[in-house]
Amino acid sequence: MSGLAVAWTLAQKDLGAWAWMGVLAWALAAAAWLYFSAAWLRGALTAHRVLADLRHPLLGPFVALVPVVAILLGGQSAHYVPAVGAGLVVAALVVIGIMSAWSLSAILAGTVDAHVFHSGYFLFILAGGLIGAIGLAEIGALRAATAAFAIGVFFWAVLAAVVVARLAAGPAIADAYVPTLAIFSVPPSVAGLGWFGIHGSQIDWVQDTLLALTVFLVLSQGFLVHRYAKLPFSLGFWSFTFTAAAPVSYGMHWLAATTPPGWRIWSWVMLLAVTLWIVWIAVRSVPLLFGRGARR
């Protein structure tokens, strides 16, 4: 939802889109973040399972979404309540920094099973760095944003190599982990959004490189669609949401910066397509969250 909110916020600025759509998306993102963060924390603390949840090979990395989404929410809030937004960004960065250091220490100590290592591990130090750059740029801390960007890019290269080596060496990834393959494609578009935040809409060699990587990795995802289509619907499909919204937002930013013929039409097509996609996943998720799926 926060990824969709970023896309509609850009659309309001560059396409004159309805302001209420961006506000609605941010409100839904904030509500979902508050509800699920509180629900997880309450349950984890009650069952004394915080560390056990963090160590879970599939779900553990997704705990990082608590501070990562808070960075995006804080960056947007800073436009309206600067002190509150900046405070949320900084607090969330401290949390994701500690979680990332812990995750890296676990990898270095060999306590993470290489056979289950997946792209979800990007959500710690990699997402913390790149999305941290976006949040810091939103609050005007450009030097800190550049530092966060550098950390994110460095560990993107490191962790991407680890993930490719693990997948190439086998065994084949289990169905439960398959949606995490989509996360592999998202870092260059997130990095590009962060670079735009730091340097404005100018196009330089960094943006040229990140665009090329984005296009290539999104293309590679196209050849995995047949694998995704065989999966039964699950909450794991939310792995396909931000991984779609981030490239769309990045593509819209590129189109607005370069204004090729028909750029407004292409921006609207991408925006509406990703909106319908995320809404479809949200609707399909309701029975799993609050119905019979939750009891199972």
Side-chain angles (χ1 to χ4, degrees), residues 18-276:
W18 314 290
W20 64 267
M21 280 294 295
V23 172
L24 176 62
W26 281 116
L28 290 172
W33 175 75
L34 285 170
Y35 176 82
F36 289 110
S37 297
W40 168 76
L41 188 60
R42 182 175 64 251
L45 289 175
T46 301
H48 305 289
R49 287 188 53 85
V50 174
L51 288 179
D53 281 358
L54 285 168
R55 293 189 181 106
H56 191 283
L58 175 59
L59 301 179
F62 291 93
V63 177
L65 290 176
V66 175
V68 164
V69 174
I71 293 171
L72 292 172
L73 292 173
Q76 180 65 17
S77 300
H79 294 286
Y80 306 98
V81 190
V84 173
L88 183 56
V89 169
V90 172
L93 277 168
V94 170
V95 173
I96 192 61
I98 293 171
M99 294 175 75
S100 298
W102 173 84
S103 174
L104 181 60
S105 70
I107 294 172
L108 295 177
T111 58
V112 177
D113 186 354
H115 293 92
V116 297
F117 197 89
H118 55 82
S119 302
Y121 284 88
F122 285 5
L123 296 174
F124 282 116
I125 192 167
L126 194 161
L130 297 181
I131 292 182
I134 295 174
L136 288 167
E138 290 286 346
I139 65 174
L142 299 184
R143 291 185 65 183
T146 302
F149 177 89
I151 293 172
V153 168
F154 175 81
F155 281 99
W156 169 28
V158 172
L159 294 179
V162 175
V163 170
V164 170
R166 177 263 174 272
L167 294 175
I173 192 169
D175 284 351
Y177 296 82
V178 168
T180 65
L181 294 175
I183 300 172
F184 191 85
S185 66
V186 79
S189 55
V190 178
L193 290 171
W195 197 253
F196 273 133
I198 296 168
H199 295 280
S201 295
Q202 69 181 52
I203 302 300
D204 54 18
W205 69 270
V206 175
Q207 291 291 13
D208 288 338
T209 302
L210 293 173
L211 177 64
L213 287 167
T214 298
V215 172
F216 177 76
L217 291 178
V218 170
L219 177 62
S220 71
Q221 288 293 309
F223 291 100
L224 291 171
V225 169
H226 72 284
R227 180 83 182 274
Y228 299 147
K230 295 178 181 178
L231 298 173
F233 185 86
S234 69
L235 293 182
F237 272 52
W238 281 93
S239 293
F240 301 131
T241 57
F242 191 79
T243 54
V248 165
S249 296
Y250 185 46
M252 290 170 57
H253 211 143
W254 253 90
L255 289 171
T258 56
T259 61
W263 70 273
R264 293 179 181 273
I265 295 174
W266 284 111
S267 293
W268 274 110
V269 168
M270 292 192 298
L271 177 62
L272 294 177
V274 76
T275 300
L276 291 173

Side-chain angles (χ1 to χ4, degrees), residues 233 237 275-285:
F233 185 86
F237 272 52
T275 300
L276 291 173
W277 172 241
I278 293 176
V279 168
W280 178 80
I281 290 178
V283 171
R284 289 290 306 273
S285 299

